[in-house]
Amino acid sequence: MKSVLAAYRVALPLRGAPVRSQSTAAAIPIQYEEAKSYEEIPSPRGLPIIKNLWNFVKTENQKNFSAYHKKLIKELGSTYKISMPMGPDLVFINKPDDVRTLHSLDGAYPFSIGFESFEKIRKGVLSDKYKTAGMMAQGKEWHEFRQLVQQDMMRPKSAMFYIDDISGVVDELLDRMVKSMNNQQE
């Protein structure tokens, strides 16, 4: 499996990460020689072995990740990476234009990190309930499923069909969040 970090060379741009998209060199918005290497992406200081995990274990960062994220943007810039033990680095891209470029060069079969476990569950333990992994699939299977549902889902009338169910779920979530808050509204 190719790394999720592969297309960042194209999007940001960075030099040295393996290319995951099917794009051509002509689609790269700047000269390759001007691109930064993957190693040049700033990262908060980490520790040997546990890398940046300590920052996520800290109570204040767990309680308010948004503030921690804003602090990292201020310190490191709009694009930074977090290194975790036993896994790939997480690259945070915070400029909408950079994200748009990344997605536009992703090719017909993008790989969305984080959906592997959902796909595995739907194809394994829940295979009796789901015929496919649906939107949780990757590659060609995802593309074929998306083409089947895209036309219907893009119509406003179709969205209105689901609005009551979606509103109900959101209302229930908000009720649960309010009930779980403590005296400090956390």
Side-chain angles (χ1 to χ4, degrees):
M1 173 174 44
K2 293 184 180 179
S3 169
V4 69
L5 305 172
Y8 293 126
R9 179 191 84 180
V10 175
L12 299 180
L14 301 169
R15 185 181 67 241
V19 177
R20 78 169 173 161
S21 71
Q22 299 298 318
S23 62
T24 65
I28 298 174
I30 70 156
Q31 296 297 320
Y32 184 82
E33 295 78 28
E34 297 173 21
K36 295 179 181 177
S37 71
Y38 178 78
E39 289 74 26
E40 292 176 275
I41 300 174
S43 179
R45 184 172 299 222
L47 298 171
I49 301 172
I50 66 168
K51 302 179 180 181
N52 296 126
L53 180 62
W54 178 247
N55 296 318
F56 288 92
V57 176
K58 291 180 181 177
T59 304
E60 65 268 19
N61 294 342
Q62 287 182 15
K63 286 185 174 182
N64 194 349
F65 182 76
S66 179
Y68 178 61
H69 176 65
K70 287 176 185 175
K71 176 185 163 213
L72 290 176
I73 292 171
K74 190 174 182 178
E75 291 175 5
L76 303 171
S78 64
T79 299
Y80 66 89
K81 67 183 172 188
I82 299 287
S83 298
M84 300 296 265
M86 308 289 286
D89 292 345
L90 304 172
V91 175
F92 291 81
I93 304 173
N94 297 286
K95 285 186 179 175
D97 288 341
D98 290 341
V99 174
R100 184 179 301 112
T101 301
L102 174 68
H103 288 298
S104 72
L105 299 173
D106 215 9
Y109 308 128
F111 178 82
S112 300
I113 194 160
F115 287 108
E116 306 94 345
S117 54
F118 293 112
E119 182 179 23
K120 187 174 183 178
I121 290 167
R122 282 188 167 203
K123 287 182 172 181
V125 185
L126 296 178
S127 62
D128 58 323
K129 294 183 183 210
Y130 297 99
K131 294 179 183 174
T132 72
M135 292 302 285
M136 304 298 172
Q138 302 282 359
K140 188 174 182 179
E141 182 182 354
W142 168 85
H143 183 75
E144 290 170 354
F145 184 84
R146 183 167 188 256
Q147 285 192 313
L148 290 172
V149 300
Q150 182 174 0
Q151 294 301 316
D152 185 49
M153 295 304 292
M154 295 304 287
R155 292 188 193 111
K157 285 183 182 179
S158 295
M160 295 306 291
F161 179 77
Y162 299 102
I163 199 79
D164 291 336
D165 291 335
I166 292 170
S167 292
V169 169
V170 170
D171 290 343
E172 184 180 335
L173 174 64
L174 291 173
D175 288 342
R176 288 180 184 216
M177 289 173 68
V178 168
K179 287 177 184 174
S180 70
M181 293 173 92
N182 61 21
N183 293 338
Q184 287 81 34
Q185 301 297 310
E186 299 178 323

